[in-house]
Amino acid sequence: MTSAPLRTRASRSGAAGPALEGVLLMRPSRWLSMLLALVVCEALHAQGWWDTRWKRRRAVTVKRRRAGFSDWALARFILNSECAPDGRDIRVIDETGLETPSQVIWARSNGFCEVAFKTRPRVQRYYVYWGNSAAAAPRYEEKPKVGLVMETRERPRGGCNSWADYRRLLAGSRIVYGRTVVGNIFHGFNPFGPSGSYMTVYRGWLYAPSNGVYRIATNSDDSSFVFVDGKMVVQWPGGHGPTAAYGEHNAKVELKRGLHRIEYYHETSGGGQACVLGWWKPGDKIVSLVGHEYFPGFLETTVGRLQERGKRIVAEMKAKPVSEAKLYGCHLLIEVRFTGIANGASNKASFHWDFGDGLTSGEKNPSHIFLTPGVYTVTLTVTEGGHESVARLRHYMGFLFFHREPADKNRRYARLLRSYDFARVKTTGLLAALTFADLCEDDDLRLAVLRVLIGRKDDLSEQRYLSALRDAGRLLIEHAPAAATARVCFERMLKTTKKPWWTAQGELGLADVKFLLERKLDEALKTYRDMVAVSYTHLRAHETSLHL
């Protein structure tokens, strides 16, 4: 029997009722008066504020209703501002001013926010409020029975050879990297933090399309454990690769048609990462990925502009990762495209960006390359006519796994990086930029980085420092002739080390400066002859030692 591998990579129809007929039969003047009153009331409410203790809000519109499992919707947006811990101050209010049950999936100050909320019939517009640090967490009895939430966490040290081991690791995990609604269980990296060693927990609802016996399969790197309706169905503990591509690790479970609680626990201690959930439905001959259609989702929404009570202008930003460049190991350069928005301001407003890595921009919609993966706080300041507003985004810039990247990516990266003020970049970022410059053979970029790097002696190993001096000196001879600066580079080499090989590199560099740039031919030729003589002496001594 063959199997397909688990690879790790509202309807609005209906006739008009009596109420609608009554409206249509009204006299035009009366009908227009009612319509005008309705529009005015809605406008007044849109301008009003539900509770003045809450500082900020966004309007959310439910796109469309559809026949499905739930009347819960999901809003995703960047807070761009402070919220109470874990988003306990977040409230969802409908367009009539009534509070509706909600559940915060994820919310961190200046970070991303995901909030699910219950919708009401014939109500499309809602407002998400936050910005009240004194607010207590609400207690709603109703919870959504829809969606699949993925959470990634810090993985403590220790083995994981059983479910008891996993529970111990989970209890000891202190850092939650992030949480989001996903379409299915099929991931190979941590989108919220480092992808070397971490834990992943999925919790949500699985739809069984028919009554019968299902075979649930897992494929993972490393451990994985699958629970359905609170009972463990299949497990694959221990350290291993994702080698169960044909569902080798599976178990049977009888399910009734409908929704079932699903939990999937995964951990990786390093190396590759993967976790995949597959199954055989009743009657299936081969294993298949449990697709997104079997994880009923939330109603879709569109999110409006940020509003802040009492502010004339309100800044906000959008961020879109567009590409990445892998250098060595797991080191990446990450390109992010930012969009600056100044609600209430004219086109004369000024924009100032601080990317949290020492670099800034005065463009409205800049692109920026982060030279090292990590958590950054990006700050946008908008000013106009004495008014100022600040928006922030704190987020992990790391693995993105783009499959379709622009053909001119390297050229665009080099162009952006050449505009950087490298004096404000950390040494780790300089080394990453230098590696990229070497890969794309961009001597202008290499020299720009090296000019700063040779001033960071205390941050570098001796070999790395000497290499930087040598490479800078060579470029100042061959690419951008500057005799005095090149001489300084090679003289520093000779002062830094007495090791023969590096000393020879420094002396040769000084000779080239004299010969090619300073035109001191006699001095250069004497150095060349002396170096040849020394090399010949070393070669004869080596031959003699071989004969002995």
Side-chain angles (χ1 to χ4, degrees):
M1 181 177 66
T2 60
S3 299
L6 296 177
R7 304 195 187 277
T8 55
R9 286 293 315 164
S11 175
R12 288 181 175 269
S13 61
L20 180 58
E21 291 177 0
V23 171
L24 295 176
L25 293 173
M26 287 180 186
R27 288 178 299 175
S29 59
R30 186 178 178 188
W31 186 85
L32 289 173
S33 299
M34 289 186 65
L35 179 61
L36 180 60
L38 180 63
V39 170
V40 170
C41 288
E42 185 173 348
L44 288 173
H45 176 74
Q47 294 173 0
W49 208 262
W50 167 67
D51 190 319
T52 57
R53 294 173 297 174
W54 273 258
K55 298 178 181 179
R56 303 171 189 90
R57 74 177 185 182
R58 286 184 185 270
V60 177
T61 303
V62 179
K63 285 187 177 180
R64 63 184 179 88
R65 296 189 178 276
R66 63 181 186 274
F69 297 93
S70 176
D71 52 1
W72 284 71
L74 182 72
R76 286 180 166 136
F77 53 90
I78 303 175
L79 287 170
N80 283 153
S81 55
E82 299 288 330
C83 71
D86 296 321
R88 67 168 183 252
D89 58 338
I90 291 177
R91 302 289 189 273
V92 180
I93 311 300
D94 71 14
E95 61 188 14
T96 69
L98 296 178
E99 184 173 351
T100 187
S102 60
Q103 179 176 329
V104 176
I105 307 297
W106 180 257
R108 291 291 185 273
S109 289
N110 304 312
F112 284 92
C113 175
E114 287 190 12
V115 56
F117 60 93
K118 182 177 175 59
T119 63
R120 293 191 169 96
R122 295 179 298 278
V123 177
Q124 286 190 295
R125 164 120 354 161
Y126 299 81
Y127 293 89
V128 180
Y129 283 83
W130 73 95
N132 178 5
S133 59
R139 296 182 179 180
Y140 303 117
E141 293 183 0
E142 190 170 358
K143 302 293 183 183
K145 292 186 67 174
V146 66
L148 178 67
V149 176
M150 178 184 75
E151 173 185 280
T152 63
R153 309 180 63 101
E154 165 203 36
R155 186 196 188 281
R157 292 184 178 181
C160 188
N161 298 306
S162 66
W163 174 240
D165 287 345
Y166 190 96
R167 291 180 63 187
R168 186 187 68 254
L169 292 174
L170 193 60
S173 177
R174 297 290 180 261
I175 299 174
V176 179
Y177 292 123
R179 200 178 296 123
T180 188
V181 174
V182 294
N184 58 2
I185 300 172
F186 181 69
H187 290 90
F189 70 105
N190 178 10
F192 308 114
S195 285
S197 175
Y198 64 98
M199 307 179 77
T200 312
V201 178
Y202 296 83
R203 296 186 178 98
W205 297 92
L206 172 69
Y207 176 69
S210 62
N211 298 334
V213 176
Y214 292 73
R215 287 166 60 191
I216 308 296
T218 182
N219 188 17
S220 61
D221 181 344
D222 293 301
S223 303
S224 57
F225 306 85
V226 184
F227 289 74
V228 177
D229 294 328
K231 297 180 180 179
M232 183 184 292
V233 175
V234 61
Q235 60 178 312
W236 190 11
H240 51 75
T243 57
Y246 292 90
E248 290 86 343
H249 288 271
N250 69 82
K252 295 180 179 179
V253 59
E254 186 169 354
L255 300 176
K256 292 184 178 180
R257 180 177 181 271
L259 292 174
H260 297 268
R261 186 73 177 172
I262 182 79
E263 298 166 76
Y264 186 105
Y265 299 88
H266 163 254
E267 62 82 25
T268 178
S269 57
Q273 306 104 41
C275 53
V276 182
L277 181 68
W279 66 358
W280 287 262
K281 301 187 300 297
D284 284 354
K285 302 299 183 182
I286 61 174
V287 65
S288 61
L289 175 71
V290 183
H292 61 85
E293 64 269 28
Y294 298 105
F295 296 99
F298 293 93
L299 298 173
E300 296 181 357
T301 63
T302 56
V303 179
R305 296 287 181 88
L306 175 62
Q307 302 173 40
E308 188 167 352
R309 184 174 175 273
K311 294 293 289 288
R312 180 187 176 281
I313 60 173
V314 180
E316 63 174 302
M317 72 176 79
K318 296 180 180 179
K320 181 182 179 181
V322 292
S323 68
E324 63 188 9
K326 187 173 182 179
L327 300 182
Y328 49 84
C330 293
H331 198 110
L332 297 172
L333 304 184
I334 304 98
E335 181 188 14
V336 181
R337 187 172 298 146
F338 293 94
T339 301
I341 301 170
N343 300 308
S346 70
N347 56 10
K348 296 181 180 180
S350 63
F351 293 76
H352 177 79
W353 295 84
D354 182 336
F355 298 108
D357 57 0
L359 298 171
T360 60
S361 173
E363 299 180 26
K364 180 180 179 180
N365 304 314
S367 290
H368 186 72
I369 295 172
F370 293 91
L371 297 170
T372 55
V375 177
Y376 294 88
T377 299
V378 180
T379 303
L380 168 63
T381 303
V382 176
T383 56
E384 183 186 47
H387 298 274
E388 179 179 285
S389 181
V390 177
R392 292 184 176 87
L393 168 62
R394 181 172 174 80
H395 191 61
Y396 178 81
M397 308 295 180
F399 282 94
L400 305 172
F401 288 91
F402 287 94
H403 298 287
R404 294 182 180 179
E405 294 192 336
D408 65 338
K409 180 181 70 177
N410 284 358
R411 185 167 61 251
R412 190 177 66 251
Y413 272 43
R415 184 175 65 252
L416 278 170
L417 292 177
R418 282 196 296 269
S419 69
Y420 279 16
D421 180 1
F422 286 110
R424 304 179 65 180
V425 175
K426 293 182 179 179
T427 302
T428 53
L430 292 177
L431 294 174
L434 182 60
T435 300
F436 177 79
D438 290 339
L439 290 174
C440 64
E441 300 179 348
D442 189 315
D443 286 339
D444 287 331
L445 180 57
R446 290 181 68 211
L447 185 55
V449 176
L450 285 168
R451 285 181 184 273
V452 178
L453 194 60
I454 59 178
R456 305 279 182 89
K457 180 179 180 181
D458 293 341
D459 296 341
L460 305 172
S461 66
E462 182 180 83
Q463 182 171 336
R464 169 60 80 176
Y465 178 62
L466 292 170
S467 295
L469 288 171
R470 178 199 59 196
D471 295 345
R474 301 309 312 179
L475 287 170
L476 289 166
I477 292 174
E478 302 165 5
H479 180 68
T485 311
R487 172 182 282 276
V488 169
C489 289
F490 295 118
E491 288 175 346
R492 284 189 189 176
M493 290 182 66
L494 297 175
K495 291 179 181 179
T496 300
T497 184
K498 299 298 181 183
K499 295 178 180 178
W501 193 85
W502 285 109
T503 299
Q505 293 285 309
E507 291 175 347
L508 179 61
L510 281 175
D512 288 344
V513 170
K514 295 175 183 177
F515 187 83
L516 297 171
L517 301 181
E518 297 177 344
R519 299 302 179 185
K520 298 178 180 179
L521 305 185
D522 292 339
E523 293 183 29
L525 289 173
K526 182 180 183 304
T527 301
Y528 293 146
R529 292 193 188 100
D530 291 344
M531 293 184 70
V532 170
V534 171
S535 298
Y536 180 75
T537 302
H538 287 165
L539 179 61
R540 293 293 297 170
H542 181 63
E543 289 178 346
T544 302
S545 65
L546 290 176
H547 288 301
L548 293 176

